[in-house]
Amino acid sequence: MEATVEVEEQLAGAAKLQERLQKRHQARIEDVERRKEAKESQTVAEENSEYFTGAFNRERAAVEELLSGCSGADRAAVTQRLEEATAKTAQLQKLLNDSVFFLTQYDLRQAQAALQKLQTSLAETREEALPKKKFAFRARTKAADKVSSGSDTSTPDAGTPADAGSTKVVDEASEQGDFSNLSDVFVTKTAEEIQKRDVLLTHLTNCKVRLFGSPSTLHLKHIDNCEILCGPVSSSVFVDHCRNSTLAFPCQQLRTHNTTDTQVYLHVTSRAIIEDCCGVSFAPFSWSYPNLKEDFSVSGLDQDRNNWNQVDDFNWLATGTPSPNWTVIPEADRRTNWDPEN
């Protein structure tokens, strides 16, 4: 009887040993498989990264060549080159957006910086090669309405300040849709004027801007105490040196630099990125106008995909700790009325 029990115990021990060996063998197989998959994934990522770098550099060089060829060319040739450069730049933006999942953080930042530099160069080349028309202003004030017809032909003293309650309206702007060096004005652009074009707003103070339509790219530089609303931007919005302002726009990607105390009502299908910023707050895009849905279709943006609260701060690398440089605007404090008079 004792012998039988001993045999059974030995058999049970052998079974357990065999089970442990099988488990260990299975674990080794799974570990080898995981390492193999990791190696394959790394290889694919490296191959994708190599392809991206080559394609990105080729397209960037092509755009730079187009821009350099604008110098001294006639207006028709410049226009054609700029249109081609704009299309290629948009393709570069799409290539970058499609590659963010396998690029390293360093490679991503380098590519984004190169693309921003290229887009800035494109806007500056357009501004230089296709000179803007001069602005014409009309100051609408209650006092002006009361001026008699006999004094309508008189020229106001250039040194006399404008009425503090006046609102200047821009009657004419550049054919590129750009505004620069303006203060205390309310300006608008229609879809026909900005559709599929690069738009540059720079050195604006105390202005209200409404851009109806779908530009390809929007650049905002040196903006102080302004309210700027724009329809869907098919690629990127670049904000630099903006303070005490309210911005609202849909876009594929947002890059914000050197910006303080600014509210952004955002619809973004990729990511929002801030750098060297503080006091920036975000809320979902809430401006609306009659043809907004059509402009979304023109832009190619997905109206149902909005990553407005997924913000990457390149100055904040602490994992698991929120950046102190940006916040979400509380629902109770969000703008719902965008009437220019408010």
Side-chain angles (χ1 to χ4, degrees), residues 322-340:
S323 166
N325 298 318
W326 71 275
T327 58
V328 170
I329 303 173
E331 290 190 25
D333 298 333
R334 295 175 186 174
R335 289 277 301 272
T336 56
N337 186 353
W338 296 99
D339 189 325

Side-chain angles (χ1 to χ4, degrees), residues 216-234:
S216 61
T217 309
L218 177 62
H219 298 261
L220 307 177
K221 297 183 178 181
H222 300 285
I223 307 297
D224 186 7
N225 196 33
C226 292
E227 180 182 281
I228 299 175
L229 315 182
C230 182
V233 181
S234 59

Side-chain angles (χ1 to χ4, degrees), residues 62-102:
V63 173
E64 290 172 345
E65 183 178 353
L66 285 168
L67 296 181
S68 64
C70 290
S71 179
D74 59 61
R75 189 178 183 85
V78 168
T79 301
Q80 183 177 355
R81 283 178 173 271
L82 290 177
E83 288 179 353
E84 188 174 349
T86 299
K88 285 184 174 294
T89 303
Q91 291 172 358
L92 269 178
Q93 179 69 68
K94 186 177 186 304
L95 174 63
L96 178 57
N97 290 340
D98 291 343
S99 307
V100 295
F101 297 106
F102 61 79

Side-chain angles (χ1 to χ4, degrees), residues 124-245:
E124 291 174 348
T125 301
R126 176 180 282 110
E127 188 174 5
E128 180 180 350
L130 300 176
K132 298 184 291 184
K133 299 175 183 178
K134 293 184 177 180
F135 289 101
F137 301 101
R138 180 172 67 253
R140 295 178 178 172
T141 66
K142 293 181 180 180
D145 294 337
K146 298 179 181 179
V147 175
S148 63
S149 58
S151 60
D152 283 344
T153 58
S154 63
T155 302
D157 183 1
T160 303
D163 183 0
S166 67
T167 299
K168 293 183 179 178
V169 179
V170 174
D171 293 325
E172 185 177 358
S174 74
E175 60 188 67
Q176 283 78 39
D178 300 345
F179 296 112
S180 61
N181 300 304
L182 300 177
S183 60
D184 303 297
V185 298
F186 173 69
V187 294
T188 64
K189 276 291 182 179
T190 64
E192 291 75 14
E193 294 171 300
I194 68 171
Q195 208 83 309
K196 293 297 183 181
R197 296 184 178 183
D198 290 345
V199 176
L200 170 64
L201 308 183
T202 179
H203 292 91
L204 304 186
T205 304
N206 299 323
C207 295
K208 290 191 176 185
V209 180
R210 301 290 187 271
L211 303 175
F212 300 93
S214 176
S216 61
T217 309
L218 177 62
H219 298 261
L220 307 177
K221 297 183 178 181
H222 300 285
I223 307 297
D224 186 7
N225 196 33
C226 292
E227 180 182 281
I228 299 175
L229 315 182
C230 182
V233 181
S234 59
S235 59
S236 296
V237 174
F238 297 96
V239 181
D240 193 13
H241 288 92
C242 177
R243 66 171 188 161
N244 301 324
S245 295

Side-chain angles (χ1 to χ4, degrees), residues 306-323:
N306 188 4
N307 301 322
W308 65 272
N309 59 352
Q310 297 181 26
V311 181
D312 292 331
D313 184 356
F314 279 0
N315 295 112
W316 188 256
L317 303 179
T319 304
T321 305
S323 166

Side-chain angles (χ1 to χ4, degrees), residues 245-308:
S245 295
T246 299
L247 314 175
F249 40 70
C251 61
Q252 191 175 61
Q253 179 182 253
L254 171 65
R255 290 294 302 269
T256 306
H257 294 267
N258 307 300
T259 293
T260 58
D261 302 322
T262 292
Q263 293 189 338
V264 183
Y265 288 80
L266 180 65
H267 182 110
V268 60
T269 58
S270 179
R271 304 283 290 188
I273 296 170
I274 64 173
E275 190 169 14
D276 300 323
C277 298
C278 66
V280 182
S281 53
F282 293 86
F285 178 74
S286 59
W287 183 45
S288 182
Y289 56 90
N291 295 322
L292 177 61
K293 187 174 182 179
E294 289 79 356
D295 290 335
F296 258 105
S297 298
V298 171
S299 71
L301 299 178
D302 185 349
Q303 198 166 359
D304 296 323
R305 179 182 179 186
N306 188 4
N307 301 322
W308 65 272

